[in-house]
Amino acid sequence: MGDLLETIYRNGPDLMAEVRALVAAGADVNRVTEYSESPLRVASNNGRFDVVQLLLQSGADASQLKWTSLMLSIAFGDLAQMKAALRQDWLEERDWWSRTPFLLAILTGDTAKCDALLAAGCDPAARGRCAKTPLQYAVQNNDLAMQRWLLEHGFAIDATDEFGTTALISAVELDRIESVRFLLEQGAELRHENNIPSRAIEYANTPDIAEVLLEYGEDIDAMARETYSLWLGMEHGKNPKVSPQEYAAAKNRVFGRQNPEETNRAFWLEMIRSGANAYQARCHFDDKESAQPVWCFSRFGRSTVRLPDCRIVAVAGEHEDHYDPDFCIYNDVTVFEPGGSVQILSYSEEDFPPTDFHTATLFGNFIYLIGSLGYPELRQPGKTPVYRLDIRSYRIEKVETKGYMPGWISGHRAWLNGDSILVEGGRCIVDEQGEQQLVPNTARWRLDLNSRIWSLDATNPPVTTG
């Protein structure tokens, strides 16, 4: 017999039938775990009031819910029954999950009940457990009509709970794609610089959700690693399926000798397709001796551009932190063709130094690569590294720029503005008494791609200069 509590947690499409079968088979409807969870409480938290009613009819202890008669009428009655149960001193009562009658009404999707409760004087600013917002309750059930009602009644679209989570982030995390699209159409912010989590796409679990966010201007490289792999059509976290000999022959990074040099090594390609990280490959091949980093496509600080012809171009990035034996900053380019083929291109350090936390901006037939954190010995404080990748030949060349530039910048944002690229945010390396320091970039910069001259962007002067 399946577990009733676990079944309700899964909240599958056939939940009612599953619960009926489990109850008929003798499942304990009053089981309470050491964490005070019970089938009744979990069903209530999920907004599955149909399951709550079934459990109550099957002998579940109603006191677990801490529901008043008003709350019961909201969950199971019609508008007239709810109005008959209205008592002023019950309007702000809280149930087990710290929900008021108004928040419960949102979960039912009944806007008429919500109107009646507002008219009766309930507090519209009430929040649930962990300051969960009214809009987050509507997102929980993917209820677009209720979301629209809340927005029409002035509820803030970007309000956050105590974790800094917005309704949009909740919709993304819960895979509510209709709610994601609706909230974006209504103007929900993609990013919240001062919140954690700050970006909705970081919580995208599926390529479909990620695609919606990308349509609205989100950054491909802000996806979680697993979602990024799935978005590319690859796997994640699987062992590479190559022979020990193929692993040994290509386990380390090799710089190119041409510009570019195709390096479609079997192990490298399999690392991309499997989504394995370097440590996983080491363990799989029982490699404890390699002093050099194992080649890996699981990276931070990479840039990814989807071209108009649907090619996807991924540039460089780093694997792990400097103290890890597999730490490596790469300088390769990987091209994913629409048909599913993959091409890895390598470059010499002279043509293209190891680069991470840069930006990539498409302009004409070139992807402009701006900035880098890079290895400490390669950094040049005061200079801004700029390279461009020809999307026809994949040749990379350094772009010599002049003017008042950001300096050695990384972790920034960049976007095309006419014939210029605008750059803001991130941090810059400065040399203070012989030591490299990272300082915030507080200005917006403009690189004119025709003259190749940097300047401060006049539309947004700096607060300070570093």
Side-chain angles (χ1 to χ4, degrees):
M1 182 176 67
D3 185 273
L4 180 60
L5 186 57
E6 289 180 5
T7 300
I8 293 173
Y9 255 121
R10 285 197 303 270
N11 200 15
D14 300 320
L15 180 60
M16 279 292 286
E18 293 173 335
V19 171
R20 282 195 187 97
L22 289 169
V23 170
D28 183 2
V29 295
N30 282 310
R31 173 192 168 204
V32 179
T33 71
E34 60 182 307
Y35 303 106
S36 299
E37 296 170 323
S38 70
L40 199 58
R41 286 171 178 165
V42 172
S44 168
N45 189 45
N46 289 344
R48 291 300 303 261
F49 298 149
D50 53 346
V51 176
V52 169
Q53 190 169 39
L54 173 60
L55 292 170
L56 290 173
Q57 293 168 349
S58 302
D61 179 7
S63 67
Q64 292 180 3
L65 297 173
K66 295 181 65 176
W67 278 5
T68 62
S69 296
L70 174 59
M71 292 175 179
L72 286 165
S73 69
I74 289 170
F76 308 130
D78 57 23
L79 181 61
Q81 290 170 318
M82 189 203 80
K83 287 183 175 180
L86 270 173
R87 272 180 38 182
Q88 200 69 29
D89 59 334
W90 278 352
L91 282 177
E92 306 310 324
E93 282 290 313
R94 300 278 177 161
D95 73 354
W96 172 262
W97 296 104
S98 301
R99 297 172 301 194
T100 64
F102 179 66
L103 296 176
L104 280 177
I106 290 173
L107 270 177
T108 69
D110 192 329
T111 57
K113 288 178 179 176
C114 292
D115 279 322
L117 289 167
L118 286 177
C122 77
D123 181 9
R127 301 289 190 90
R129 185 171 294 187
C130 301
K132 187 172 179 177
T133 70
L135 199 54
Q136 284 176 308
Y137 282 106
V139 162
Q140 178 180 325
N141 282 348
N142 210 21
D143 189 339
L144 304 190
M146 181 57 74
Q147 292 172 51
R148 188 180 298 280
W149 183 90
L150 287 166
L151 295 177
E152 289 174 348
H153 282 72
F155 287 83
I157 195 168
D158 293 315
T160 61
D161 61 19
E162 69 179 33
F163 305 110
T165 305
T166 64
L168 176 59
I169 291 174
S170 292
V172 169
E173 193 170 16
L174 293 169
D175 293 332
R176 306 292 195 251
I177 192 166
E178 295 86 1
S179 292
V180 170
R181 191 174 291 280
F182 173 78
L183 291 168
L184 288 169
E185 289 170 352
Q186 301 305 309
E189 292 289 338
L190 287 165
R191 306 175 186 87
H192 296 265
E193 298 300 330
N194 297 322
N195 291 347
I196 299 175
S198 62
R199 303 179 73 152
I201 201 166
E202 296 173 26
Y203 290 82
N205 299 307
T206 66
D208 289 343
I209 292 281
E211 277 292 348
V212 174
L213 296 167
L214 294 177
E215 287 176 26
Y216 282 81
E218 255 293 16
D219 181 3
I220 293 170
D221 295 294
M223 290 185 213
R225 292 188 189 186
E226 181 172 1
T227 307
Y228 180 85
S229 295
L230 297 174
W231 180 77
L232 290 172
M234 305 296 158
E235 295 185 296
H236 180 77
K238 306 294 184 181
N239 286 327
K241 296 177 181 178
V242 294
S243 68
Q245 292 76 21
E246 287 172 316
Y247 169 74
K251 65 181 181 179
N252 302 133
R253 186 260 297 278
V254 176
F255 289 109
R257 292 165 294 180
Q258 302 175 46
N259 186 355
E261 179 179 332
E262 188 173 311
T263 46
N264 287 344
R265 300 180 168 202
F267 172 64
W268 294 8
L269 289 170
E270 184 57 24
M271 287 293 279
I272 294 172
R273 293 192 180 103
S274 67
N277 61 36
Y279 177 75
Q280 184 178 356
R282 279 183 184 269
C283 293
H284 182 63
F285 292 102
D286 195 25
D287 180 6
K288 302 181 180 67
E289 305 302 326
S290 180
Q292 297 299 316
V294 171
W295 194 95
C296 183
F297 191 69
S298 178
R299 304 175 186 178
F300 296 108
R302 168 177 40 213
S303 67
T304 307
V305 177
R306 180 161 48 188
L307 302 180
D309 62 8
C310 294
R311 281 178 293 164
I312 296 171
V313 180
V315 180
E318 73 171 43
H319 179 68
E320 294 301 346
D321 293 318
H322 66 91
Y323 50 79
D324 191 279
D326 291 307
F327 168 66
C328 184
I329 304 177
Y330 291 86
N331 71 332
D332 51 18
V333 171
T334 306
V335 182
F336 298 84
E337 298 286 350
S341 64
V342 180
Q343 185 179 16
I344 304 171
L345 303 161
S346 295
Y347 301 84
S348 70
E349 290 184 273
E350 291 72 27
D351 288 327
F352 184 40
T355 299
D356 56 348
F357 298 100
H358 57 286
T359 55
T361 308
L362 179 65
F363 179 69
N365 290 316
F366 296 94
I367 296 174
Y368 283 82
L369 308 169
I370 296 176
S372 177
L373 184 57
Y375 292 114
E377 63 272 18
L378 298 180
R379 298 169 185 163
Q380 299 179 54
K383 300 289 185 182
T384 302
V386 181
Y387 291 81
R388 69 178 191 177
L389 170 67
D390 191 321
I391 61 174
R392 299 160 297 184
S393 65
Y394 301 119
R395 181 178 179 83
I396 286 182
E397 64 178 347
K398 185 175 184 179
V399 178
E400 297 292 348
T401 63
K402 54 187 177 181
Y404 186 32
M405 61 186 65
W408 198 267
I409 193 168
S410 62
H412 50 290
R413 297 177 296 278
W415 65 99
L416 195 63
N417 182 260
D419 290 349
S420 298
I421 294 176
L422 297 181
V423 171
E424 71 176 15
R427 297 187 294 176
C428 298
I429 292 286
V430 297
D431 194 336
E432 294 185 358
Q433 298 180 342
E435 291 189 5
Q436 295 181 357
Q437 301 289 336
L438 276 170
V439 299
N441 167 47
T442 57
R444 178 182 291 172
W445 304 85
R446 178 182 294 272
L447 174 61
D448 187 300
L449 297 175
N450 295 314
S451 66
R452 300 185 177 182
I453 294 176
W454 283 100
S455 62
L456 287 171
D457 181 44
T459 63
N460 184 23
V463 177
T464 61
T465 59

